[in-house]
Amino acid sequence: MPKKLQDFLLDEEKLAHISNVERKKYLQKLKIVKHLFLNGNTSNAEICSRFNVSLPTSMSLLNQMIEDGIVSKTGRGKSEGGRKPDLYGMQEHSFFVLSIHIERFRIKLAVIDNNHSIVKESVLTREISPDSNIVDLLFEQSQKLLKSAKIKMSDLMGVAISMPGLVSAEAGKNFTYYLSEQEPESLKGRFEKKFKKSVVILNDAKSACLAEFRFGLARDKSNVLVISMDWGIGLGIIMGGKMHSGESGFAGEFGHIPMTEDGLLCHCGKRGCLETEASGLALVRKAKEGLKAGQTSVLNNLSQKEMDKLEPEVIIEAANKGDQFAINVLSEIGIKLGKGIAILIQIFNPELVILEGKIAEAKQFITTPIHQSMNTYCMMQLKERTKIELSELGSNSSLFGGTIAVMDDIFKDQVALVKSYIN
């Protein structure tokens, strides 16, 4: 009978009552389970190569985990001339993670299983603010979602919460939003008390970067920048095959680099930030200004209510229909963004820049002006070695990145615990 991952993991009491040999075997199993979670269906030969163990040893460990109900055979792999190898993966619904993505004007909640499938999701319309009863709100909405998914809170491995702002995952605090809810305790601490689960909070752009690093175009690459282009602009940094968060966890505040002298006031308190000229907020503002000035566009057909709640997706849809005004506004955004990306390329010299988020859905209407701007502002020797590509993960990348962050912490803690008991 399938077993939950919670039943498979060992606590201090169980570790104290098994032999050193069994602890070492368990550590190997733990590493294989993490590998299957991150990489999906895998052959015995691949596991042997990855963990430097013999075929019989690997097969024995897999068979034990099949008996435990945590692993199962999932089919056959591709043949290279011989017999097709058996593939192994985690048993379906071995564990669940509740992943929550807070955007500027809405909140997405999803229950995600060990095979990276969304079991159930919901969306709540709610504008982010510096002060809000976010802990109780998310707990209440999560209970509703779990009930509709017929999943108990006890079935969750943990909770991931990605959000905009200056977020320190290590400190468990957001230094931009929900300030009144973080004194004297951290936001992470308050969530953990409420959910009675392991909780990770992280910046939305870093969450998207983590998803790209594990599953997306950045997988198996060493030097990549992931630019999140939503209502704001964020940056995830992968250098030397590792994600970098900086000393305080704030590395990547790309949108708050001043780009315009005496420019518009940004919500961060400075003037002329890139975010005021090249974000989703800027796109909507520029579109409204142009329409008010008498520009011809299909967007003029929107009602006042629709105009008040105008979102980047509507402008992008108009561009896809050939609306020249929408195309021009996106081009203006792309030119400014390209200048910022040129600066990043000259600092980091990446092999790849991945564009993700709402604005990335504009595709050629945003990539073409970005390339034009880079031709102007970036040294050719650096530009020629850097590819610009659109993410293939879709709109839920931050949800999946949060799931990875939760499980990374759980696996890391479990491995450290086991190693502390091995003589």
Side-chain angles (χ1 to χ4, degrees):
M1 183 177 177
K3 181 188 284 189
K4 298 296 184 186
L5 184 62
Q6 288 100 320
D7 302 322
F8 174 75
L9 300 178
L10 300 181
D11 57 22
E12 292 191 48
E13 184 179 350
K14 291 177 181 177
L15 282 168
H17 287 87
I18 61 175
S19 68
N20 214 42
V21 172
E22 288 301 314
R23 290 170 191 148
K24 289 179 180 179
K25 280 186 181 179
Y26 172 69
L27 185 59
Q28 289 177 314
K29 290 179 186 178
L30 197 60
K31 291 178 179 179
I32 292 172
V33 167
K34 181 180 179 181
H35 179 81
L36 294 177
F37 164 63
L38 291 174
N39 298 281
N41 298 337
T42 306
S43 70
N44 187 27
E46 289 173 313
I47 290 172
C48 293
S49 175
R50 174 68 178 81
F51 298 106
N52 195 28
V53 295
S54 67
L55 280 167
T57 297
S58 177
M59 196 69 253
S60 173
L61 293 170
L62 285 168
N63 284 333
Q64 288 173 36
M65 287 190 286
I66 289 173
E67 288 178 16
D68 290 338
I70 202 76
V71 169
S72 64
K73 284 186 181 181
T74 55
R76 294 286 183 87
K78 293 180 180 180
S79 171
E80 295 183 1
R83 179 176 174 271
K84 290 183 178 180
D86 289 324
L87 295 179
Y88 300 88
M90 293 192 69
Q91 183 71 247
E92 187 178 11
H93 292 172
S94 294
F95 68 81
F96 303 96
V97 171
L98 175 63
S99 190
I100 302 170
H101 177 43
I102 301 174
E103 300 180 13
R104 292 207 182 232
F105 300 103
R106 65 177 184 172
I107 300 172
K108 296 168 71 174
L109 301 92
V111 178
I112 301 177
D113 70 8
N114 53 282
N115 290 322
H116 314 292
S117 297
I118 293 179
V119 178
K120 199 80 173 179
E121 61 183 323
S122 65
V123 177
L124 175 67
T125 302
R126 179 63 64 99
E127 185 172 350
I128 197 169
S129 65
D131 300 292
S132 169
N133 190 13
I134 193 65
V135 176
D136 290 337
L137 174 68
L138 291 188
F139 184 71
E140 179 185 326
Q141 293 300 316
S142 298
Q143 285 183 311
K144 291 178 182 178
L145 179 63
L146 291 170
K147 185 177 181 180
S148 67
K150 296 179 180 178
I151 293 172
K152 298 176 183 176
M153 187 71 76
S154 59
D155 291 333
L156 296 178
M157 291 297 299
V159 180
I161 306 170
S162 60
M163 59 183 76
L166 280 174
V167 181
S168 170
E170 186 175 339
K173 288 187 174 184
N174 188 322
F175 292 84
T176 306
Y177 301 106
Y178 311 123
L179 304 180
S180 65
E181 295 192 68
Q182 300 179 85
E183 295 297 337
E185 191 174 18
S186 71
L187 196 58
K188 170 185 165 74
R190 289 203 60 203
F191 275 119
E192 287 185 331
K193 277 188 177 178
K194 195 73 175 178
F195 282 90
K196 294 180 172 57
K197 291 287 174 184
S198 173
V199 174
V200 170
I201 72 164
L202 66 166
N203 173 267
D204 50 1
K206 290 183 177 63
S207 184
C209 181
L210 185 54
E212 291 290 347
F213 187 36
R214 294 299 192 185
F215 304 134
L217 297 173
R219 185 172 179 174
D220 300 324
K221 287 186 167 46
S222 296
N223 302 297
V224 180
L225 301 178
V226 180
I227 298 176
S228 293
M229 306 183 301
D230 285 295
W231 287 104
I233 303 174
L235 171 67
I237 304 167
I238 300 166
M239 286 288 129
K242 294 180 180 180
M243 276 190 60
H244 288 269
S245 297
E247 178 64 25
S248 304
F250 303 148
E253 287 300 318
F254 174 49
H256 298 290
I257 296 174
M259 297 288 285
T260 306
E261 193 71 27
D262 296 324
L264 293 174
L265 180 66
C266 181
H267 65 86
C268 75
K270 299 198 303 292
R271 288 190 174 274
C273 291
L274 180 63
E275 196 162 290
T276 66
E277 295 293 332
S279 63
L281 288 169
L283 178 66
V284 169
R285 187 192 76 245
K286 289 174 183 289
K288 287 181 176 180
E289 289 172 351
L291 295 172
K292 189 176 181 180
Q295 290 285 345
T296 302
S297 170
V298 297
L299 296 172
N300 283 314
N301 297 326
L302 296 174
S303 67
Q304 188 58 51
K305 185 178 180 181
E306 289 172 323
M307 188 62 71
D308 290 340
K309 295 185 177 181
L310 184 62
E311 296 200 5
E313 292 96 322
V314 177
I315 301 168
I316 292 168
E317 184 181 348
N320 286 327
K321 290 179 179 177
D323 186 90
Q324 193 58 53
F325 170 70
I327 292 171
N328 290 344
V329 176
L330 281 165
S331 180
E332 186 180 346
I333 293 288
I335 291 291
K336 300 282 178 134
L337 195 55
K339 185 176 182 180
I341 292 173
I343 294 171
L344 292 179
I345 289 173
Q346 296 189 167
I347 294 171
F348 291 103
N349 187 26
E351 58 191 296
L352 174 65
V353 175
I354 301 171
L355 308 177
E356 76 91 36
K358 288 182 176 69
I359 309 301
E361 293 170 10
K363 298 181 180 177
Q364 75 274 13
F365 295 120
I366 197 72
T367 56
T368 299
I370 283 175
H371 279 292
Q372 291 172 345
S373 187
M374 285 170 57
N375 286 337
T376 302
Y377 297 110
C378 190
M379 292 175 65
M380 197 56 62
Q381 296 93 328
L382 281 83
K383 176 185 169 294
E384 287 178 345
R385 298 293 296 271
T386 304
K387 290 183 178 180
I388 308 288
E389 295 189 27
L390 297 168
S391 172
E392 298 174 352
L393 293 183
S395 60
N396 290 324
S397 59
S398 287
L399 290 174
F400 293 119
T403 303
I404 298 164
V406 167
M407 294 311 299
D408 270 349
D409 274 5
I410 289 171
F411 283 124
K412 182 174 69 176
D413 291 345
Q414 186 75 182
V415 167
L417 179 63
V418 178
K419 284 184 175 179
S420 72
Y421 275 85
I422 293 176
N423 299 328

